[in-house]
C-alpha cells in the first residue's frame, strides 16, 4: 500500500488493487494491525466520530465455510476483527475486538449501541447513555443527537448507511439489506430525524459504506418482482432478465414437469444482479438529500474478502461494523 496523510494528520493507505478514481477519496487508516475506512465528507466534521471497520487485525479465528474454494477464503488460523457476536466466535474475543476498534477511532469513552438487526424498517432513537447500554428492541436503524453515544450497525454484505445533519448535529446509522431497501428504511430514518430533531434533508451528509456490489449480488424472481412493485425506476438497478422475472415469467416453480427433463437436468432458474447501493442512493435522493452530499465507497465486500467479510461469498463469516456519533 502507498502511504499518505489525511486532513487530520493521520497516515492513510491507498487500498491495493482499487484505482483512486473508484475509491472516491475514501481513506483507509492503518492503526496498529487494524485498518479503518472513513468517508471524506464526514471526516471534515470536527464534532463527529465515524468509521467503517475492515476484517484486518483483531483476535478472532474464523474457519472457512464448508466447501469453500481454495484460495478464495481466509484460512482458519487468520486473526480477524470480527465485531459481531456470531456463531464460530467467542464473546471474549468479540468484545476484545470492539475495544480495539473503539480505541483505533478515538471512541474509547463513548457508549456503543449495537442493535438486534432483523431486516426491518424499525428505527430507534437513543436519548441517553443509560439507554445506550441496555438491551434495545429489534430494528435496523438508530439515531441520536446526544454526545458520547456511538451508534453501530453490523454487516457482512448488506448496505451500511451513516447520516449526519450538519446543522442540527444529529446522526443516524442504518442497516439496509434487500428487505430494508424495499421498505425504504433510509428514507424512514431520515423522516424520523426530521420529526425528532427538525432535520432538513438539504443539511444531511450520507455515507454509504462497503457492501456487496452489482457485480456479485444475484437474486431471483421474488426479489425482482418485489422491487418492480415498489419502485418505478427499479429496472435501472438490475442486470439480467429483469422484465421477465418481474412479470412472473420463467418462474422455476411453475409446472416444472412440462420441461420433460429428468431430475437434476433441468436448466437453473434465471437470475438477475441487484445494485443495492444504487437503490439506496436513489431512495435518499427521493427523500431530499442532495446527490452531491451522498458518498459511496464503491468497494464490494464479496470481491474484497481480503478487506471485508462477505456472507454471500464465505457463508460462515464475521461481521463488520459501521459507527457514527457526536464527540
Amino acid at each position: 500500500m502507498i502511504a499518505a496523510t489525511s486532513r487530520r494528520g493521520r497516515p492513510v493507505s491507498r487500498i491495493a488493487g482499487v484505482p483512486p478514481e473508484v475509491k472516491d477519496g475514501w481513506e483507509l487508516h492503518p492503526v496498529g494491525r487494524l485498518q479503518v475506512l472513513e468517508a471524506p465528507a464526514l471526516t471534515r466534521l470536527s464534532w463527529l466520530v465515524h468509521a467503517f471497520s475492515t476484517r484486518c487485525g483483531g483476535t478472532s479465528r474464523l474457519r472457512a465455510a464448508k466447501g469453500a474454494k481454495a484460495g478464495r477464503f481466509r484460512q482458519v488460523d487468520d486473526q480477524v476483527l470480527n465485531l459481531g457476536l456470531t456463531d464460530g466466535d467467542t464473546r471474549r474475543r468479540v468484545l476484545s475486538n470492539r475495544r480495539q476498534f473503539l480505541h483505533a477511532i478515538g471512541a474509547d469513552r463513548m457508549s456503543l449501541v449495537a442493535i438486534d438487526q432483523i431486516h426491518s424498517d424499525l428505527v430507534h432513537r437513543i436519548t441517553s447513555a443509560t439507554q445506550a447500554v441496555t438491551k434495545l428492541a429489534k430494528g435496523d436503524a438508530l439515531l441520536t443527537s446526544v454526545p458520547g453515544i456511538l451508534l453501530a450497525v453490523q454487516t457482512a454484505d448488506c448496505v451500511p448507511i451513516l447520516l449526519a445533519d450538519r446543522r442540527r448535529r444529529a446522526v443516524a446509522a442504518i442497516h439496509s439489506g434487500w428487505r430494508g431497501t424495499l421498505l425504504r428504511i433510509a428514507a424512514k430514518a431520515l423522516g424520523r430525524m426530521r420529526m425528532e430533531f427538525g432535520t432538513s434533508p438539504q443539511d444531511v451528509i450520507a455515507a454509504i459504506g462497503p457492501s456487496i456490489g452489482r457485480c456479485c449480488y444475484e437474486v431471483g424472481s421474488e426479489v425482482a418482482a418485489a422491487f418492480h412493485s415498489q419502485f418505478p425506476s427499479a429496472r435501472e438497478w438490475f442486470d439480467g432478465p429483469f422484465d421477465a422475472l418481474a412479470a412472473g415469467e420463467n418462474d422455476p416453480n411453475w409446472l416444472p414437469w412440462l420441461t420433460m427433463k429428468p431430475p437434476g437436468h433441468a436448466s437453473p432458474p434465471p437470475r438477475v444482479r441487484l445494485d443495492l447501493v444504487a437503490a439506496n442512493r436513489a431512495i435518499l435522493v427521493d427523500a431530499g438529500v442532495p446527490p452531491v452530499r451522498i458518498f459511496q465507497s464503491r468497494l464490494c465486500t464479496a470481491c474484497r474478502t481480503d478487506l471485508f467479510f462477505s456472507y454471500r461469498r464465505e457463508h460462515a463469516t464475521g461481521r463488520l461494523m459501521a459507527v457514527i456519533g457526536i464527540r
Side-chain angles (χ1 to χ4, degrees):
M1 294 186 180
I2 303 172
T5 303
S6 73
R7 295 179 184 85
R8 295 181 183 174
R10 293 191 294 178
V12 177
S13 296
R14 293 193 181 278
I15 302 175
V18 180
E21 65 272 14
V22 175
K23 193 164 167 287
D24 283 349
W26 287 58
E27 298 174 346
L28 188 68
H29 299 282
V31 185
R33 294 176 56 246
L34 274 58
Q35 299 279 350
V36 178
L37 191 66
E38 291 184 348
L42 295 183
T43 303
R44 298 186 190 106
L45 301 178
S46 61
W47 53 272
L48 190 72
V49 176
H50 89 283
F52 298 88
S53 74
T54 70
R55 71 186 298 159
C56 305
T59 61
S60 295
R61 295 176 173 235
L62 301 179
R63 187 178 299 277
K66 185 178 180 180
K69 295 180 182 179
R72 298 286 297 194
F73 301 91
R74 291 277 179 168
Q75 300 299 315
V76 67
D77 60 345
D78 271 353
Q79 291 187 315
V80 294
L81 190 75
N82 172 35
L83 298 175
L85 297 168
T86 58
D87 294 337
D89 205 350
T90 67
R91 183 178 181 85
R92 178 180 61 82
R93 284 177 175 168
V94 172
L95 294 181
S96 173
N97 289 341
R98 289 184 179 182
R99 286 192 294 270
Q100 291 182 58
F101 178 58
L102 295 184
H103 178 72
I105 64 175
D108 304 78
R109 298 183 179 182
M110 300 184 76
S111 299
L112 182 69
V113 182
I115 199 169
D116 186 6
Q117 298 167 186
I118 56 172
H119 296 276
S120 68
D121 61 349
L122 299 177
V123 181
H124 294 275
R125 179 184 179 184
I126 306 302
T127 58
S128 69
T130 301
Q131 182 188 4
V133 297
T134 60
K135 184 174 178 58
L136 289 171
K138 300 177 186 295
D140 288 271
L142 295 166
L143 49 91
T144 193
S145 61
V146 179
I149 293 175
L150 195 66
L151 308 179
V153 290
Q154 299 176 54
T155 60
D157 279 335
C158 292
V159 182
I161 304 171
L162 303 180
L163 304 180
D165 179 346
R166 300 175 302 157
R167 188 176 300 275
R168 302 284 183 170
R169 293 200 176 187
V171 296
I174 304 163
H175 163 259
S176 186
W178 76 261
R179 291 180 178 85
T181 303
L182 191 67
L183 293 168
R184 294 178 171 86
I185 187 171
K188 291 175 181 177
L190 184 59
R192 184 73 179 273
M193 290 177 72
R194 175 181 287 182
M195 181 178 69
E196 300 282 359
F197 312 125
T199 292
S200 169
Q202 295 290 323
D203 296 326
V204 168
I205 294 174
I208 304 176
S211 63
I212 193 166
R214 190 178 198 142
C215 51
C216 296
Y217 191 38
E218 287 192 341
V219 296
S221 58
E222 72 286 354
V223 177
F227 273 78
H228 176 69
S229 69
Q230 294 295 319
F231 299 100
S233 57
R235 183 181 291 100
E236 300 173 7
W237 310 329
F238 287 84
D239 287 336
F242 173 77
D243 291 330
L245 267 65
E249 301 173 18
N250 299 316
D251 187 343
N253 297 315
W254 177 251
L255 300 180
W257 55 272
L258 287 176
T259 64
M260 301 299 289
K261 293 182 179 180
H265 291 269
S267 300
R271 310 280 284 177
V272 287
R273 293 198 303 272
L274 170 59
D275 190 338
L276 280 178
V277 171
N280 279 282
R281 182 183 181 90
I283 289 169
L284 288 168
V285 171
D286 286 346
V289 180
V292 295
R293 296 204 178 105
I294 302 174
F295 301 85
Q296 58 198 72
S297 73
R298 300 185 188 276
L299 289 169
C300 173
T301 50
C303 288
R304 296 302 305 264
T305 52
D306 59 321
L307 280 173
F308 307 111
F309 297 117
S310 172
Y311 182 82
R312 178 62 68 99
R313 186 73 73 183
E314 300 173 284
H315 305 298
T317 191
R319 294 295 182 272
L320 305 165
M321 190 173 276
V323 298
I324 191 168
I326 302 165
R327 295 183 185 278

